[in-house]
Amino acid sequence: MKTPFVTKDQLEAIAAKYPTPFHIYDEKGVRENARRLKAAFAWNPGFREYFAVKATPTPAILKILHEEGCGCDCSSLAELALAERCGVTGEAGIMFSSNNTTEAEFQAAYRLGGVINLDDITLIDTLVNALGKVPEKICCRYNPGGVFTLGESRDGVQVMDTPGDAKYGMTRPQLAEAFRRLKDLGAKEFGIHAFLASNTLSNDYYPALARILFQLAAELQEETGCKVAFINLSGGVGVPYRPEEPENDIAVIGEGVRKAYEEILIPAGMDGVALYTELGRYMLAPYGHLVTRAIHEKHIYKEYIGVDACACNLMRPAMYGAYHHITVMGKEDAPCDHKYDVAGSLCENNDKFAVDRMLPKVDMGDLLVIHDAGAHGFSMGYNYNGKLRSAELLLREDGSVELIRRAETLEDYFATLVW
């Protein structure tokens, strides 16, 4: 079972003031999770989490994480501007990881003092054109190609992805060449970044990635004479969207990375290397709900429940066929003996939050909580069919609720039009 962090009575009171649909985030859960991550890597003095802004680009969330010691992983001009407006700047505040990067983006990241992560070797020229130089501290993204797999892990969970099909990062020879060129251009401290698998449910993923990058760092430092100052493990630590899936243990993950560090980097004389992460989903997904209300039912070849949210509020199910658990509020203990498709109102047949989902009987007016919508939920929203983006709310630790992004209006939707 998945248990909402709000009760039915709380949601009814909230919905009386802020109409559904809306996203709501749990401040207490976000803070406690950030502290667990920090504790898991406390053995590394230089450790830093750069929260993936793309997951939840909301100032109230970024400020909470900043108070917990997290920086921002930015990938665009807008995300850089958002970080700056939240008071997050400097090397400790911004990691700029982008691709197909423009000169303007490099200039903005450099102005804010962020660490720049180069996705491709050709971007060295773009960077020099933009800045007239390269920063003294620079990072390069690595793509090992092929297929990455850990085989079966806990409860038969398999970790497998295909970095060779991904558009990101440099090959091994390109990485060595990039280090040498950047060194010749004035770079003094180097970092390595890689992302090999998405949403992994295995305590072994980060340690396995760490071993690959630690060995690579030792080799590159020996080959090129470039000082590797940090290694960015990026994201990829996942969350259990399905109730039966295993949950990652960040303390176990941190210990696995520590063991790899002591076995590879310390013997290589690289005990001062700092570790960075760029987690988004792990940091926020479980601490955000999309709250919607049942407004229509349809009985044809299947049973449908129509809700007032749609894929514009959470597009992962439509885009990926992703599973998001649904709780019918007030019926948590009722038998799940009705099979429904839970659908929005878009003129697209993939606008479904659930297909053939067993749920308690849903009555019109029931509130539904769609779980794990705290990351890549609101941020992936759009306006197809003229749908307006919903509000975002924050459940404070003291139980109060704060509006942190108002719902869009028709005036917002028409604001950029030229009549």
Side-chain angles (χ1 to χ4, degrees):
M1 291 294 295
K2 283 181 175 282
T3 303
F5 53 75
V6 282
T7 66
K8 179 179 184 295
D9 288 344
Q10 281 179 298
L11 284 182
E12 289 290 4
I14 294 167
K17 185 174 182 180
Y18 305 107
T20 56
F22 54 78
H23 286 79
I24 186 168
Y25 306 95
D26 177 20
E27 179 187 13
K28 184 174 184 289
V30 172
R31 289 188 184 276
E32 289 178 348
N33 196 46
R35 291 167 190 172
R36 284 192 292 270
L37 173 66
K38 187 176 181 179
F41 287 90
W43 54 268
N44 182 259
F47 174 75
R48 186 78 172 178
E49 156 66 4
Y50 292 90
F51 173 68
V53 175
K54 58 183 171 287
T56 318
T58 305
I61 298 299
L62 300 186
K63 289 176 181 178
I64 288 171
L65 290 172
H66 184 51
E67 289 170 3
E68 296 297 335
C70 302
C72 290
D73 161 37
C74 301
S75 60
S76 67
L77 282 173
E79 291 179 359
L80 287 167
L82 184 58
E84 182 180 20
R85 292 192 184 194
C86 290
V88 184
T89 59
E91 288 185 4
I94 293 176
M95 173 70 64
F96 183 63
S97 297
S98 66
N99 63 94
N100 292 328
T101 315
T102 66
E103 291 185 14
E105 289 171 322
F106 280 140
Q107 289 165 353
Y110 182 74
R111 178 181 63 81
L112 295 178
V115 179
I116 292 173
N117 180 27
L118 295 177
D119 177 70
D120 183 58
I121 192 169
T122 63
L123 291 175
I124 295 176
D125 291 336
T126 307
L127 183 65
V128 172
N129 289 337
L131 306 182
K133 60 181 179 180
V134 300
E136 291 189 357
K137 190 172 186 177
I138 193 77
C139 185
C140 293
R141 185 166 183 168
Y142 172 56
N143 185 331
V147 176
F148 174 79
T149 181
L150 288 178
E152 288 197 353
S153 184
R154 299 167 298 154
D155 299 328
V157 175
Q158 186 180 54
V159 174
M160 184 178 75
D161 218 322
T162 53
D165 291 335
K167 67 176 183 176
Y168 310 104
M170 307 181 198
T171 66
R172 173 65 171 81
Q174 288 175 337
L175 199 63
E177 181 185 348
F179 269 39
R180 291 188 178 98
R181 286 182 59 190
L182 289 164
K183 182 183 179 184
D184 290 341
L185 289 166
K188 293 182 170 57
E189 292 185 304
F190 294 79
I192 302 172
H193 173 290
F195 180 95
L196 302 188
S198 179
N199 194 40
T200 62
L201 293 177
S202 169
N203 292 333
D204 298 328
Y205 169 64
Y206 251 15
L209 172 62
R211 288 183 179 277
I212 292 170
L213 296 186
F214 293 168
Q215 187 62 48
L216 175 63
E219 292 172 1
L220 284 172
Q221 185 160 292
E222 177 69 22
E223 290 174 23
T224 66
C226 297
K227 178 186 176 182
V228 177
F230 66 91
I231 293 172
N232 190 331
L233 300 174
S234 65
V237 177
V239 299
Y241 285 99
R242 296 176 181 269
E244 69 272 16
E245 290 177 329
E247 185 175 359
N248 284 317
D249 187 330
I250 199 64
V252 173
I253 292 171
E255 180 61 19
V257 174
R258 182 194 64 78
K259 184 177 180 182
Y261 191 99
E262 292 179 350
E263 291 178 1
I264 299 173
L265 289 183
I266 290 180
M270 301 173 66
D271 55 320
V273 172
L275 298 183
Y276 300 157
T277 56
E278 291 176 348
L279 298 168
R281 189 194 318 260
Y282 174 80
M283 299 298 288
L284 253 295
Y287 311 108
H289 296 331
L290 172 58
V291 180
T292 183
R293 197 179 290 277
I295 60 172
H296 184 248
E297 56 185 331
K298 185 172 184 177
H299 316 284
I300 49 172
Y301 306 105
K302 302 180 76 172
E303 295 294 305
Y304 292 92
I305 293 296
V307 295
D308 57 8
C310 66
C312 294
N313 304 108
L314 177 66
M315 73 180 299
R316 295 187 72 255
M319 186 175 186
Y320 307 123
Y323 179 96
H324 280 262
H325 198 65
I326 297 175
T327 296
V328 183
M329 300 303 291
K331 300 180 180 179
E332 293 86 346
D333 298 323
C336 295
D337 53 4
H338 285 63
K339 184 187 288 187
Y340 297 114
D341 281 16
V342 179
S345 59
L346 293 185
C347 299
E348 295 290 339
N349 197 46
N350 66 352
D351 180 23
K352 297 178 180 180
F353 294 110
V355 175
D356 293 334
R357 183 75 57 86
M358 298 305 297
L359 294 170
K361 183 179 184 302
V362 178
D363 296 304
M364 296 304 92
D366 279 350
L367 285 171
L368 278 62
V369 161
I370 301 177
H371 290 259
D372 302 309
H376 309 291
F378 183 95
S379 65
M380 295 176 74
Y382 54 106
N383 291 116
Y384 181 62
N385 273 172
K387 295 297 183 180
L388 304 177
R389 298 191 190 192
S390 55
E392 289 182 294
L393 310 175
L394 180 64
L395 177 65
R396 288 291 190 182
E397 290 184 288
D398 63 5
S400 63
V401 174
E402 181 180 332
L403 179 69
I404 57 176
R405 189 194 301 262
R406 66 167 174 81
E408 282 186 338
T409 65
L410 283 175
E411 287 70 26
D412 296 321
Y413 181 71
F414 293 141
T416 58
L417 296 178
V418 179
W419 297 91

